[in-house]
């Protein structure tokens, strides 16, 4: 499922976050009693014109589609935020590695 309400994006922004070279991952446990996994994508105008923003979101959707089924925790929201230049220009396999590392870091037990 996708996150569509602004309030849900804001809640994720104030929770755990992990920066990578290609994007920023924000994650939070919903605690609403459901095991649904929700994902959101953002690309601000800092990314560039509409063509670049759409390309960045398409790449982030593919990264999420490839990695989240194996590493995501049920009942969590994930938001992937595009980074200027990096999300569009970075090699796709590197983006996948970034996502794996970010997921491990986000779900590591807090110290």
């Amino acid at each position: 499922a996708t996150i569509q309400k602004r309030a849900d994006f804001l809640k994720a922004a104030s929770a755990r976050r992990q920066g990578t070279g290609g994007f920023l991952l924000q994650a939070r446990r919903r605690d609403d009693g459901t095991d649904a996994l929700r994902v959101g994508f953002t690309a601000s105008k800092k990314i560039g014109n509409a063509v670049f923003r759409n390309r960045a979101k398409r790449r982030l959707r593919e990264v999420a589609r490839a990695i989240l089924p194996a590493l995501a925790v049920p009942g969590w929201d994930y938001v992937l935020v595009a980074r200027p230049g990096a999300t569009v220009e970075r090699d796709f396999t590197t983006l996948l590695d970034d996502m794996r590392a970010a997921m491990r870091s986000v779900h590591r037990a807090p110290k």
Side-chain angles (χ1 to χ4, degrees):
T2 58
I3 300 173
Q4 297 181 351
K5 293 184 179 178
R6 177 174 164 74
D8 292 332
F9 278 98
L10 293 175
K11 288 177 187 174
S14 64
R16 296 181 185 183
R17 48 175 74 156
Q18 178 62 44
T20 68
F23 57 88
L24 172 70
L25 174 67
Q26 301 170 338
R28 78 174 187 104
R29 184 188 326 238
R30 277 196 317 278
D31 291 329
D32 63 355
T34 64
D35 284 343
L37 174 70
R38 297 191 314 174
V39 184
F41 306 95
T42 63
S44 70
K45 288 193 175 184
K46 292 178 191 176
I47 303 301
N49 62 17
V51 173
F52 284 107
R53 290 193 308 272
N54 288 333
R55 183 176 298 151
K57 287 192 282 187
R58 278 196 310 269
R59 289 176 64 110
L60 291 176
R61 276 194 295 269
E62 285 304 313
V63 166
R65 191 173 291 135
I67 302 298
L68 285 182
L71 298 178
V73 177
W76 281 64
D77 285 348
Y78 299 96
V79 176
L80 282 77
V81 182
R83 289 211 165 158
T87 305
V88 174
E89 297 168 4
R90 200 165 174 95
D91 184 51
F92 189 73
T93 56
T94 308
L95 282 177
L96 292 173
D97 293 339
D98 288 346
M99 183 66 172
R100 286 185 195 98
M103 290 295 290
R104 282 192 297 271
S105 178
V106 163
H107 291 299
R108 188 174 299 132
K111 295 178 182 174

